[in-house]
Amino acid sequence: MTDTISPEALAASLKGIMGRKNINASTLAKKSGVSMASLSRILAGSVNPSFTNILKIAGALNVGIDEIAQQHGGPISSVHTDIPTETAASGHSID
């Protein structure tokens, strides 16, 4: 078992929760405050979102991050990122 969730697994989990809650991406973007462009990349499984954005999305869906992780079959204790050092050091989040 791993303590990280892949971008693809996160996307599948979020899509499942969104389906159960009957919420579309546009509404989720508005409720969470995550831009539609960022949310689209997250839902496509093409990025490692920031922990802040995961928390915003979880809050908008009214679920905990543990529920998002359980959807892919395991716990989550961290989200891995591939943010370049310069970006991470600047404190700016990409997604």
Side-chain angles (χ1 to χ4, degrees):
M1 188 179 320
T2 180
D3 65 351
T4 61
I5 183 170
S6 71
E8 297 84 6
L10 177 67
S13 177
L14 290 173
K15 288 176 190 175
I17 295 168
M18 289 168 64
R20 281 196 335 270
K21 295 191 172 263
N22 197 28
I23 186 170
N24 63 35
S26 177
T27 301
L28 181 56
K30 288 176 188 163
K31 287 180 75 172
S32 68
V34 174
S35 73
M36 189 62 205
S38 292
L39 184 60
S40 292
R41 289 189 299 270
I42 293 167
L43 294 174
S46 62
V47 296
N48 291 312
S50 69
F51 191 69
T52 299
N53 279 350
I54 291 175
L55 288 176
K56 288 178 180 180
I57 292 166
L61 291 169
N62 199 29
V63 299
I65 59 170
D66 57 330
E67 184 174 340
I68 293 170
Q70 291 303 320
Q71 292 297 307
H72 92 289
I76 183 171
S77 62
S78 66
V79 177
H80 56 90
T81 58
D82 295 315
I83 300 173
T85 305
E86 308 83 58
T87 304
S90 73
H92 294 34
S93 176
I94 295 172
D95 282 305

